[in-house]
């Protein structure tokens, strides 16, 4: 423990933070780089290097894919706690992710797309919750560097996420030398994502051996043989039930992408409801903890709505960039996919300001108050996007600054929701369910994107004004409603700030 506290080799932080920082930086590099071009890969015509899918189906797949990536965290957290320990779980996850990108880099069409989604969903579920968990494990309970350590880690996430939407589309576009003529070669882009994950894995493997504690090789709550058999039996029943359901759907002629997406949407909404009920009814949860779980429900709903809007940046705003935006400023030309860099870029710019603000502002709003504002900013970022259509009609192209402005506003909202939510989640967690609560945080994002998978179908140039106004309006209204609940929620939090 002593050694843990004395290690200040990485900007005053333990050297293990550098290993985890670069692992997550490269993993997010590969994920967001891939997503920046995936939408276009799916719906571009085959003659342009795409898969020729219907555009609305492609948008739906993007959202449900994003949802699954966070849904699978539940399994990854469990496997680490009970079977493999975080260090090994993260490594296995990274390998699956790398293969997911390699599969997409091969010209194998739809089969490769689905195989890649399966690999990356499984891999991210194993990697993402556990790499963050290990960051917490670098510090003893009262190490004052903990918050700063997490801020640096989040910076790493956004650094990777900001670079790849520039580099990956550049590779897909022929490296600036028209290597593939005027066509796109999406596979070259996906290869770059795979290479990024490879770098991440290498430095994780070698850095981990040197700088991560041996505790991380062990599960915290190892499962005994009997419980394992029980779980395996239950999982087998679940898998068989899913197969039977799919067979019945096929027999009724209902087995299609839209229905599978609908099924996943239902699971993504029911799962957190089920987990809330389990926690609220559990005998292991004390009275105060019970009240805190109740306080978490409105925060969870607000987070789901927020992430729904934020995550639609790689779907709805990406379509707006491609179809409705002038893709140059003067002689500087860029690709629609490059806009994905704005979200993480604004996070990096805004973070120092918010860190300063929270340290100075004595009477700052509570977590619930900040969430209310977060919803209002998210809603405003959508309302702004209705303006160009209202002013100039929805037929032509408009200035890229509309999108820049919209992302700037939603990222102010993200500063009010993401770091606050992460920290409040750990504080409101009942002791018996601490890792489950962490997964709950990601389930809010999963639920938001699942809802997106159903509503993005209604987005088109013909409906953009209504789409942005209605969803933006709902978010603003919920934000206002939450203001009235702030006192009540603060009371239920029972001393947590
Ligand atoms: N805002 C996302 C995440 O924090 C990054 C992205 O969408 O590129 O961190």
């Amino acid at each position: 423990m002593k050694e843990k506290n004395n290690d200040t080799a990485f900007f005053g932080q333990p050297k293990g933070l550098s290993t985890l920082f670069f692992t997550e930086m490269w993993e997010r590099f590969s994920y967001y780089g891939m997503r920046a071009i995936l939408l276009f890969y799916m719906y571009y015509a085959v003659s342009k290097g795409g898969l020729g899918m219907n555009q609305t189906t492609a948008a739906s797949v993007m959202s449900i894919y994003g949802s699954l990536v966070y849904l699978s965290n539940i399994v990854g957290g469990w496997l680490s706690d009970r079977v493999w320990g975080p260090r090994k779980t993260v490594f296995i996850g990274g390998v699956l992710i790398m293969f997911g990108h390699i599969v997409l880099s091969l010209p194998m069409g739809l089969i490769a797309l689905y195989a890649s989604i399966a690999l990356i969903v499984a891999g991210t579920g194993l990697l993402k919750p556990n790499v963050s968990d290990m960051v917490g494990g670098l510090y003893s309970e009262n190490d004052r560097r903990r918050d700063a350590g997490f801020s640096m880690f989040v910076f790493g996430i956004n650094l990777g996420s900001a670079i790849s939407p520039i580099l990956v589309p550049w590779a897909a576009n022929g490296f600036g030398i028209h290597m593939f003529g005027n066509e796109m070669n999406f596979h070259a882009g996906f290869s770059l994502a795979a290479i990024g994950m490879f770098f991440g894995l290498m430095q994780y493997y070698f850095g981990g051996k040197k700088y991560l504690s041996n505790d991380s090789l062990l599960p915290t709550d190892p499962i005994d043989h009997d419980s394992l058999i029980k779980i395996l039996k239950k999982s087998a029943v679940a898998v068989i039930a899913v197969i039977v359901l799919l067979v019945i759907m096929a027999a009724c002629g209902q087995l299609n992408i839209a229905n599978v997406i609908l099924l996943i949407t239902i699971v993504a909404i029911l799962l957190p409801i089920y987990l809330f009920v389990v926690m609220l009814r559990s005998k292991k949860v004390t009275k105060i903890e019970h009240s805190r779980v109740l306080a978490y429900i409105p925060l969870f709903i607000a987070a789901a709505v927020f992430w729904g809007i934020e995550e639609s940046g790689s779907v709805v705003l990406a379509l707006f960039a491609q179809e409705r935006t002038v893709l140059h400023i003067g002689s500087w030309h860029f690709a629609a996919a490059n806009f994905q860099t704005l979200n993480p870029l604004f996070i990096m710019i805004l973070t120092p300001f918010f860190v300063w603000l929270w340290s100075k502002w004595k009477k700052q709003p509570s977590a619930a108050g900040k969430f209310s504002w977060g919803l209002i900013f998210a809603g405003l970022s959508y309302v702004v996007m209705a303006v160009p259509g209202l002013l100039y009609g929805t037929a032509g192209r408009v200035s890229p600054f509309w999108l820049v402005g919209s992302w700037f506003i939603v990222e102010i909202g993200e500063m009010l929701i993401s770091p606050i939510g992460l920290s409040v989640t750990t504080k409101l967690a009942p002791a018996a369910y601490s890792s489950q609560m962490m997964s709950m945080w990601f389930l809010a994002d999963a639920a938001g994107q699942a809802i997106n998978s159903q509503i993005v179908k209604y987005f088109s140039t013909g409906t953009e004004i209504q789409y942005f106004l209605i969803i933006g309006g709902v978010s603003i209204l919920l934000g206002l409603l939450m203001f009235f609940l702030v006192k009540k929620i603060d009371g239920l939090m029972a001393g947590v700030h």
Side-chain angles (χ1 to χ4, degrees):
M1 195 62 83
K2 211 157 189 215
E3 202 185 315
K4 246 186 203 178
N5 284 339
N6 286 343
D7 176 4
T8 53
F10 183 58
F11 299 101
Q13 300 284 339
K15 194 78 175 78
L17 183 65
S18 130
T19 304
L20 301 173
F21 176 102
F22 288 112
T23 306
E24 188 51 342
M25 184 194 88
W26 283 117
E27 184 271 326
R28 293 284 96 181
F29 172 97
S30 69
Y31 180 69
Y32 285 113
M34 172 274 293
R35 279 184 70 88
I37 59 171
L38 185 68
L39 174 68
F40 305 120
Y41 172 59
M42 286 193 283
Y43 83 80
Y44 271 24
V46 177
S47 61
K48 282 172 132 188
L51 289 175
M53 274 164 85
N54 175 314
Q55 187 177 305
T56 51
T57 308
S60 243
V61 171
M62 280 294 283
S63 298
I64 208 67
Y65 183 5
S67 173
L68 280 170
V69 153
Y70 292 125
L71 262 180
S72 61
N73 273 353
I74 286 266
V75 184
W78 186 88
L79 278 170
S80 158
D81 283 353
R82 315 238 29 206
V83 187
W84 285 327
R87 177 111 71 92
K88 194 164 158 196
T89 313
V90 166
F91 188 77
I92 298 172
V95 172
L96 293 181
I97 293 172
M98 186 179 73
F99 279 107
H101 295 299
I102 291 177
V103 168
L104 262 190
S105 70
L106 306 170
M108 289 187 336
L110 262 185
I111 302 266
L113 172 70
Y114 293 132
S116 163
I117 290 179
L119 284 163
I120 291 172
V121 164
T124 315
L126 296 178
L127 185 143
K128 183 105 167 104
N130 297 312
V131 74
S132 338
D133 194 42
M134 274 198 282
V135 174
L138 294 172
Y139 307 93
S140 58
E141 276 287 303
N142 40 19
D143 191 327
R144 297 185 62 197
R145 296 172 304 168
R146 195 187 182 87
D147 281 358
F150 267 104
S151 302
M152 280 173 74
F153 180 70
V154 169
F155 192 85
I157 288 182
N158 286 286
L159 187 59
S161 318
I163 299 170
S164 59
I166 305 294
L167 291 186
V168 168
W170 171 71
N173 274 319
F175 303 97
I177 49 169
H178 299 289
M179 210 165 149
F180 316 119
N182 280 332
E183 300 216 340
M184 295 279 284
N185 187 336
F186 289 99
H187 305 293
F190 297 130
S191 315
L192 200 59
I195 292 170
M197 193 62 242
F198 174 75
F199 285 150
L201 269 174
M202 282 298 114
Q203 76 81 39
Y204 177 72
Y205 183 74
F206 291 110
K209 271 189 168 176
K210 275 201 248 163
Y211 307 121
L212 295 176
S213 84
N214 285 338
D215 297 351
S216 60
L217 287 168
L218 303 171
T220 45
D221 179 16
I223 192 161
D224 55 77
H225 183 262
D226 289 353
S227 318
L228 183 63
I229 298 292
K230 253 192 223 158
I231 294 274
L232 286 178
K233 276 189 189 154
K234 273 192 190 166
S235 317
V237 172
V239 170
I240 293 171
V242 171
I243 294 175
V244 170
L245 186 62
L246 294 178
V247 170
I248 294 175
M249 283 166 69
C252 306
Q254 295 295 324
L255 187 61
N256 52 42
I257 299 189
N259 283 341
V260 171
I261 293 178
L262 181 62
L263 264 186
I264 303 171
T265 305
I266 294 170
V267 172
I269 293 169
L270 291 184
L271 184 64
I273 296 178
Y274 168 76
L275 295 175
F276 269 121
V277 171
V278 168
M279 280 193 276
L280 287 172
R281 294 181 55 181
S282 165
K283 293 209 172 66
K284 292 188 243 170
V285 171
T286 66
K287 221 170 155 206
I288 289 192
E289 287 177 337
H290 187 272
S291 157
R292 288 178 178 158
V293 173
L294 281 180
Y296 196 65
I297 295 175
L299 298 179
F300 179 91
I301 296 171
V305 173
F306 173 79
W307 288 117
I309 291 185
E310 195 265 9
E311 296 277 6
S312 78
S314 59
V315 186
V316 170
L317 298 193
L319 288 175
F320 192 94
Q322 177 64 23
E323 289 173 4
R324 293 267 293 117
T325 306
V326 176
L327 292 175
H328 63 91
I329 297 174
S331 59
W332 174 36
H333 289 256
F334 33 80
N338 296 144
F339 281 86
Q340 296 304 318
T341 197
L342 289 173
N343 167 328
L345 186 70
F346 283 136
I347 294 193
M348 288 192 285
I349 294 172
L350 288 168
T351 297
F353 170 73
F354 276 90
V355 168
W356 172 83
L357 184 69
W358 302 142
S359 72
K360 290 279 171 235
W361 189 357
K362 294 235 164 53
K363 289 197 170 156
Q364 60 185 266
S366 64
K370 289 173 186 158
F371 269 51
S372 313
W373 281 109
L375 282 179
I376 290 175
F377 277 106
L380 285 175
S381 79
Y382 252 41
V383 170
V384 163
M385 289 313 298
V387 179
L390 286 169
L391 288 179
Y392 316 114
T394 56
R397 288 180 177 269
V398 298
S399 160
F401 286 103
W402 290 103
L403 281 173
V404 175
S406 174
W407 256 298
F408 182 71
I409 298 170
V410 81
E411 290 317 312
I412 297 178
E414 188 157 344
M415 297 316 306
L416 293 161
I417 292 212
S418 180
I420 317 293
L422 270 174
S423 120
V424 96
T425 303
T426 54
K427 291 187 207 156
L428 292 176
Y433 289 100
S434 68
S435 47
Q436 180 167 310
M437 269 296 257
M438 206 56 245
S439 311
M440 278 303 251
W441 174 249
F442 289 111
L443 287 189
D445 192 321
Q449 294 201 67
I451 294 168
N452 277 353
S453 73
Q454 299 306 315
I455 57 181
V456 286
K457 299 174 199 161
Y458 301 104
F459 179 79
S460 69
T461 42
T463 58
E464 72 178 48
I465 298 177
Q466 296 91 316
Y467 192 90
F468 286 128
L469 285 182
I470 292 173
I471 298 174
V474 167
S475 183
I476 292 174
L477 275 178
L478 281 176
L480 293 175
L481 180 72
M482 207 154 153
F483 274 123
F484 291 104
L485 295 175
V486 167
K487 273 221 168 96
K488 177 115 187 99
I489 299 171
D490 289 352
L492 284 172
M493 292 198 0
V496 163
H497 295 293

